[in-house]
PDB file of all heavy atoms in Angstrom:
ATOM      1  N   MET B 202       0.197 102.493-155.329  1.00  0.00           N
ATOM      2  CA  MET B 202       1.149 101.500-154.997  1.00  0.00           C
ATOM      3  C   MET B 202       1.424 101.447-153.487  1.00  0.00           C
ATOM      4  O   MET B 202       1.484 100.369-152.925  1.00  0.00           O
ATOM      5  CB  MET B 202       2.474 101.815-155.746  1.00  0.00           C
ATOM      6  CG  MET B 202       2.431 101.382-157.169  1.00  0.00           C
ATOM      7  SD  MET B 202       2.183  99.668-157.390  1.00  0.00           S
ATOM      8  CE  MET B 202       1.277  99.620-158.960  1.00  0.00           C
ATOM      9  N   HIS B 203       1.589 102.613-152.865  1.00  0.00           N
ATOM     10  CA  HIS B 203       1.791 102.669-151.477  1.00  0.00           C
ATOM     11  C   HIS B 203       0.604 102.075-150.692  1.00  0.00           C
ATOM     12  O   HIS B 203       0.833 101.255-149.795  1.00  0.00           O
ATOM     13  CB  HIS B 203       2.047 104.145-151.064  1.00  0.00           C
ATOM     14  CG  HIS B 203       2.198 104.260-149.522  1.00  0.00           C
ATOM     15  ND1 HIS B 203       3.416 104.349-148.883  1.00  0.00           N
ATOM     16  CD2 HIS B 203       1.281 104.335-148.577  1.00  0.00           C
ATOM     17  CE1 HIS B 203       3.243 104.438-147.638  1.00  0.00           C
ATOM     18  NE2 HIS B 203       1.937 104.402-147.369  1.00  0.00           N
ATOM     19  N   ILE B 204      -0.581 102.417-151.128  1.00  0.00           N
ATOM     20  CA  ILE B 204      -1.761 101.897-150.416  1.00  0.00           C
ATOM     21  C   ILE B 204      -1.811 100.414-150.574  1.00  0.00           C
ATOM     22  O   ILE B 204      -1.990  99.701-149.581  1.00  0.00           O
ATOM     23  CB  ILE B 204      -2.999 102.598-150.910  1.00  0.00           C
ATOM     24  CG1 ILE B 204      -3.062 104.053-150.518  1.00  0.00           C
ATOM     25  CG2 ILE B 204      -4.246 101.886-150.371  1.00  0.00           C
ATOM     26  CD1 ILE B 204      -4.228 104.799-151.011  1.00  0.00           C
ATOM     27  N   MET B 205      -1.516  99.919-151.737  1.00  0.00           N
ATOM     28  CA  MET B 205      -1.628  98.453-151.955  1.00  0.00           C
ATOM     29  C   MET B 205      -0.546  97.652-151.153  1.00  0.00           C
ATOM     30  O   MET B 205      -0.838  96.747-150.458  1.00  0.00           O
ATOM     31  CB  MET B 205      -1.426  98.108-153.412  1.00  0.00           C
ATOM     32  CG  MET B 205      -2.707  98.380-154.296  1.00  0.00           C
ATOM     33  SD  MET B 205      -2.671  97.313-155.695  1.00  0.00           S
ATOM     34  CE  MET B 205      -2.593  98.421-156.973  1.00  0.00           C
ATOM     35  N   PHE B 206       0.675  98.104-151.314  1.00  0.00           N
ATOM     36  CA  PHE B 206       1.745  97.284-150.805  1.00  0.00           C
ATOM     37  C   PHE B 206       2.238  97.700-149.401  1.00  0.00           C
ATOM     38  O   PHE B 206       2.784  96.838-148.714  1.00  0.00           O
ATOM     39  CB  PHE B 206       2.929  97.259-151.822  1.00  0.00           C
ATOM     40  CG  PHE B 206       2.544  96.625-153.051  1.00  0.00           C
ATOM     41  CD1 PHE B 206       2.349  97.362-154.249  1.00  0.00           C
ATOM     42  CD2 PHE B 206       2.288  95.200-153.108  1.00  0.00           C
ATOM     43  CE1 PHE B 206       1.953  96.721-155.434  1.00  0.00           C
ATOM     44  CE2 PHE B 206       1.900  94.612-154.248  1.00  0.00           C
ATOM     45  CZ  PHE B 206       1.721  95.321-155.418  1.00  0.00           C
ATOM     46  N   ARG B 207       2.060  98.963-149.025  1.00  0.00           N
ATOM     47  CA  ARG B 207       2.535  99.262-147.722  1.00  0.00           C
ATOM     48  C   ARG B 207       1.435  99.340-146.669  1.00  0.00           C
ATOM     49  O   ARG B 207       1.689  99.071-145.507  1.00  0.00           O
ATOM     50  CB  ARG B 207       3.257 100.655-147.802  1.00  0.00           C
ATOM     51  CG  ARG B 207       4.421 100.748-148.726  1.00  0.00           C
ATOM     52  CD  ARG B 207       5.644  99.979-148.179  1.00  0.00           C
ATOM     53  NE  ARG B 207       6.022 100.539-146.847  1.00  0.00           N
ATOM     54  CZ  ARG B 207       6.718 101.549-146.686  1.00  0.00           C
ATOM     55  NH1 ARG B 207       7.187 102.256-147.732  1.00  0.00           N
ATOM     56  NH2 ARG B 207       7.092 101.961-145.486  1.00  0.00           N
ATOM     57  N   GLU B 208       0.225  99.691-147.100  1.00  0.00           N
ATOM     58  CA  GLU B 208      -0.832  99.765-146.125  1.00  0.00           C
ATOM     59  C   GLU B 208      -1.644  98.481-146.029  1.00  0.00           C
ATOM     60  O   GLU B 208      -2.017  97.995-144.978  1.00  0.00           O
ATOM     61  CB  GLU B 208      -1.796 100.861-146.422  1.00  0.00           C
ATOM     62  CG  GLU B 208      -1.182 102.285-146.495  1.00  0.00           C
ATOM     63  CD  GLU B 208      -0.859 102.841-145.093  1.00  0.00           C
ATOM     64  OE1 GLU B 208      -1.461 102.423-144.087  1.00  0.00           O
ATOM     65  OE2 GLU B 208       0.034 103.747-144.983  1.00  0.00           O
ATOM     66  N   MET B 209      -2.000  97.895-147.218  1.00  0.00           N
ATOM     67  CA  MET B 209      -2.873  96.706-147.215  1.00  0.00           C
ATOM     68  C   MET B 209      -2.126  95.420-147.084  1.00  0.00           C
ATOM     69  O   MET B 209      -2.458  94.560-146.278  1.00  0.00           O
ATOM     70  CB  MET B 209      -3.615  96.649-148.515  1.00  0.00           C
ATOM     71  CG  MET B 209      -4.727  97.683-148.640  1.00  0.00           C
ATOM     72  SD  MET B 209      -5.567  97.461-150.189  1.00  0.00           S
ATOM     73  CE  MET B 209      -7.002  98.558-149.941  1.00  0.00           C
ATOM     74  N   LEU B 210      -1.044  95.191-147.877  1.00  0.00           N
ATOM     75  CA  LEU B 210      -0.390  93.937-147.938  1.00  0.00           C
ATOM     76  C   LEU B 210       0.052  93.435-146.588  1.00  0.00           C
ATOM     77  O   LEU B 210      -0.119  92.224-146.299  1.00  0.00           O
ATOM     78  CB  LEU B 210       0.709  93.949-148.969  1.00  0.00           C
ATOM     79  CG  LEU B 210       1.162  92.550-149.482  1.00  0.00           C
ATOM     80  CD1 LEU B 210       0.001  91.883-150.141  1.00  0.00           C
ATOM     81  CD2 LEU B 210       2.256  92.638-150.467  1.00  0.00           C
ATOM     82  N   PRO B 211       0.705  94.205-145.745  1.00  0.00           N
ATOM     83  CA  PRO B 211       1.149  93.758-144.468  1.00  0.00           C
ATOM     84  C   PRO B 211       0.083  93.156-143.646  1.00  0.00           C
ATOM     85  O   PRO B 211       0.290  92.171-142.920  1.00  0.00           O
ATOM     86  CB  PRO B 211       1.755  95.041-143.792  1.00  0.00           C
ATOM     87  CG  PRO B 211       2.036  95.979-144.827  1.00  0.00           C
ATOM     88  CD  PRO B 211       1.100  95.728-145.918  1.00  0.00           C
ATOM     89  N   ASN B 212      -1.141  93.743-143.733  1.00  0.00           N
ATOM     90  CA  ASN B 212      -2.244  93.188-142.945  1.00  0.00           C
ATOM     91  C   ASN B 212      -2.765  91.876-143.534  1.00  0.00           C
ATOM     92  O   ASN B 212      -3.547  91.178-142.902  1.00  0.00           O
ATOM     93  CB  ASN B 212      -3.276  94.194-142.897  1.00  0.00           C
ATOM     94  CG  ASN B 212      -2.959  95.372-142.005  1.00  0.00           C
ATOM     95  OD1 ASN B 212      -2.726  95.183-140.809  1.00  0.00           O
ATOM     96  ND2 ASN B 212      -2.849  96.525-142.613  1.00  0.00           N
ATOM     97  N   LEU B 213      -2.350  91.635-144.775  1.00  0.00           N
ATOM     98  CA  LEU B 213      -2.846  90.382-145.423  1.00  0.00           C
ATOM     99  C   LEU B 213      -1.835  89.213-145.106  1.00  0.00           C
ATOM    100  O   LEU B 213      -2.220  88.036-145.380  1.00  0.00           O
ATOM    101  CB  LEU B 213      -2.916  90.559-146.930  1.00  0.00           C
ATOM    102  CG  LEU B 213      -4.155  91.246-147.433  1.00  0.00           C
ATOM    103  CD1 LEU B 213      -4.024  91.550-148.835  1.00  0.00           C
ATOM    104  CD2 LEU B 213      -5.352  90.460-147.151  1.00  0.00           C
TER     105      LEU B 213
END
Side-chain angles (χ1 to χ4, degrees):
Chain B
M202 283 295 151
H203 175 97
I204 292 178
M205 281 206 243
F206 294 108
R207 301 289 302 280
E208 301 284 339
M209 287 181 168
L210 201 60
N212 290 296
L213 280 173

